[in-house]
Amino acid sequence: MQKITYRYSALSKQTWFYAGMLYLALLSVVYILVAAYHVEGYYEDMNLTLNLLANAAGMAFFYLLSLGHHVCYSEYDGEKITYHNRLLRKSRTFRYDDAQAVIFDRRGIKFYKDEQALINKEEPDFYVPFFRDGKVEAVQLNGFFKMIKDREERLAEEGRSFKVYKTFKIVPGYGRNWKYLSFAYACLTLLVLMNCARPLAVIIGLMNAF
């Protein structure tokens, strides 16, 4: 069985998640030092346990978001394809023999039992999305496309109907316009890192003072 998996949509997006974890970690250190040094005016009203648990939950949330593109994937061979969702623990399988047409459009791979349904733009009988908290792996997708095209040619020689369509040249998620998304996440990362300066300065100040 071969796989079609997903990767993060932008490295800057991953960096944003890690920057958020760093910020919460620095805040936690501030809370611990305030409690340890009994900083007057602060530690009396501070619930250290609750604050640390809230920050730990936030860091866990950011970490899970950074792994979101691993939740879904597809497996396929020469006869069928199976789409898996690890989070929901569900999977769906579709056999190519049940399809008359398949289209690779900008949203995903859509299989149709009746080619007329594709022409009428109806809902597909089976669907593999290109985006699941990340973008599809281009090399793996191209490998699947070549296999499906080979099937189309083989069935055409046998006089059987099976049509394959593709509406894009560059795999969605890899074009030039997607660089704007990467830039937006880079700006968010910079803002978070700038905010990290305040708790870091407090940590240095507390350690010098005590």
Side-chain angles (χ1 to χ4, degrees):
M1 297 287 282
Q2 300 186 68
K3 288 186 177 182
I4 302 175
T5 59
Y6 300 91
R7 59 171 298 163
Y8 47 79
S9 53
L11 179 59
S12 55
K13 179 182 178 181
Q14 299 298 102
T15 307
W16 177 51
F17 293 141
Y18 299 141
M21 293 169 62
L22 174 62
Y23 177 74
L24 293 175
L26 290 174
L27 280 182
S28 298
V29 174
V30 170
Y31 296 146
I32 292 171
L33 291 179
V34 167
Y37 295 141
H38 291 78
V39 179
E40 293 185 6
Y42 294 97
Y43 88 94
E44 298 93 345
D45 299 323
M46 185 180 67
N47 189 325
L48 178 62
T49 302
L50 182 61
N51 287 336
L52 292 181
L53 286 176
N55 286 348
M59 287 188 284
F61 179 69
F62 277 122
Y63 179 70
L64 291 175
L65 286 179
S66 72
L67 300 177
H69 55 282
H70 291 303
V71 171
C72 298
Y73 69 98
S74 298
E75 288 183 313
Y76 70 92
D77 57 21
E79 298 181 354
K80 64 184 182 298
I81 182 170
T82 301
Y83 178 74
H84 299 274
N85 186 315
R86 290 189 177 100
L87 182 62
L88 300 179
R89 296 185 179 181
K90 291 184 178 181
S91 63
R92 295 179 289 112
T93 300
F94 188 84
R95 301 187 68 83
Y96 312 139
D97 285 341
D98 295 331
Q100 284 190 353
V102 56
I103 182 170
F104 292 69
D105 65 17
R106 303 198 66 82
R107 295 181 60 190
I109 309 168
K110 300 175 182 178
F111 288 87
Y112 291 86
K113 294 182 179 180
D114 185 351
E115 188 177 1
Q116 190 62 40
L118 185 155
I119 297 173
N120 295 335
K121 297 182 179 180
E122 298 177 9
E123 290 295 317
D125 295 287
F126 189 80
Y127 174 56
V128 177
F130 285 162
F131 301 95
R132 275 295 178 265
D133 203 19
K135 57 189 179 183
V136 69
E137 285 282 2
V139 174
Q140 296 173 352
L141 177 65
N142 287 333
F144 180 72
F145 177 75
K146 290 178 181 179
M147 188 206 72
I148 290 295
K149 285 294 291 183
D150 289 343
R151 178 183 176 82
E152 178 188 37
E153 295 173 2
R154 186 174 69 254
L155 292 181
E157 293 176 355
E158 299 175 1
R160 298 166 60 185
S161 177
F162 182 74
K163 298 295 184 180
V164 179
Y165 303 92
K166 188 172 75 167
T167 63
F168 56 84
K169 292 183 179 180
I170 299 176
V171 176
Y174 292 87
R176 183 175 299 176
N177 291 337
W178 285 87
K179 292 183 179 179
Y180 295 113
L181 176 65
S182 180
F183 177 74
Y185 278 117
C187 291
L188 289 173
T189 301
L190 181 61
L191 287 174
V192 175
L193 291 176
M194 289 173 63
N195 284 327
C196 286
R198 179 175 296 179
L200 183 59
V202 173
I203 292 171
I204 295 173
L206 287 173
M207 295 184 71
N208 288 335
F210 294 91

